[in-house]
Amino acid sequence: MAFRVTNNLTTETFITQILNNRFNLAETQEEISSGYKVLDASDDPGRAGTVVNLISTSQRIDRHLQRITFATNFLEAQENAVQSANNTMMRLQELATQAANGTIAVDVRAQIADEVFQLRDNLAALANSRNQGLYVFGGRDDGGTAPFSFDPAYFNEPPTAGLPEKGHWVFDNASIGKSLTRDVNISDTESIRINSPA
């Protein structure tokens, strides 16, 4: 049985093929521009679950990397503070050796004392170092108070003749968190301690 193909049927078939080709071309262009083969779960239901799991894993890895960066910066700040404190202690040792000489004049001894107090204040500033908004030696206290605070009361009574009157630094233990350490998770199963208690 023969049938006649009309011009209308041929035209409709041709238009349908063109539309299908344009749709496929648009999909291919979107895949190329995005770099993804599966854009929606409906594109490939079999792979959709795998894609979701990979995205979740990627996001988890990004969070771990952010915490590792935070921990690295924090530990570097702590190491720099300790190194600076070590240099300061070496200078204090030199001054102590110099001051132990019984023949030095009172005014020289007073100059040494002034430098010692300046170095002490420097050590206190190092002990109150901050990094990323947190005190490096502030334990787990996030209250924003420094571990050490200055007390202007004279530390030595009665005053020693010829020596400057100075206040002293005290450990501010108002928060229990200052005596605790801070741990940071750097993977699903590992964490590291990033600070020392004040």
Side-chain angles (χ1 to χ4, degrees):
M1 170 183 201
F3 64 91
R4 202 172 117 209
V5 178
T6 65
N7 285 340
N8 284 344
L9 183 59
T10 302
T11 304
E12 286 177 11
T13 303
F14 185 65
I15 290 173
T16 301
Q17 287 176 347
I18 289 175
L19 291 176
N20 286 339
N21 288 339
R22 287 183 69 188
F23 177 78
N24 292 336
L25 177 62
E27 273 191 337
T28 303
Q29 286 175 332
E30 191 172 358
E31 288 174 5
I32 290 171
S33 65
S34 69
Y36 296 111
K37 174 74 174 164
V38 179
L39 297 172
D40 297 310
S42 60
D43 293 343
D44 190 341
R47 293 185 183 172
T50 302
V51 170
V52 169
N53 287 338
L54 290 173
I55 290 172
S56 175
T57 300
S58 176
Q59 291 171 343
R60 197 170 70 250
I61 289 171
D62 286 343
R63 288 192 297 272
H64 290 321
L65 288 173
Q66 289 172 356
R67 287 193 290 266
I68 288 170
T69 300
F70 169 83
T72 300
N73 292 338
F74 208 87
L75 289 170
E76 285 175 355
Q78 186 178 32
E79 184 177 353
N80 292 338
V82 170
Q83 183 60 50
S84 296
N86 185 54
N87 295 339
T88 301
M89 293 300 291
M90 289 172 61
R91 177 60 183 154
L92 285 168
Q93 187 176 17
E94 293 171 3
L95 291 173
T97 302
Q98 185 181 348
N101 184 347
T103 62
I104 63 172
V106 173
D107 60 330
V108 175
R109 198 177 297 277
Q111 290 173 359
I112 291 173
D114 276 334
E115 186 176 350
V116 167
F117 280 114
Q118 289 172 7
L119 292 171
R120 177 210 57 179
D121 292 345
N122 183 46
L123 284 172
L126 291 170
N128 285 337
S129 295
R130 291 178 73 124
N131 183 268
Q132 302 174 85
L134 300 171
Y135 285 99
V136 175
F137 301 105
R140 286 202 309 240
D141 177 28
D142 292 334
T145 56
F148 296 90
S149 58
F150 185 73
D151 184 350
Y154 185 49
F155 79 98
N156 185 15
E157 295 179 354
T160 303
L163 293 180
E165 294 187 4
K166 301 284 183 181
H168 62 285
W169 290 89
V170 293
F171 174 56
D172 183 8
N173 197 22
S175 167
I176 296 175
K178 283 189 173 61
S179 61
L180 302 174
T181 58
R182 181 183 299 278
D183 294 331
V184 172
N185 293 328
I186 58 170
S187 74
D188 291 340
T189 58
E190 299 290 329
S191 65
I192 59 170
R193 189 179 73 175
I194 63 167
N195 69 346
S196 299

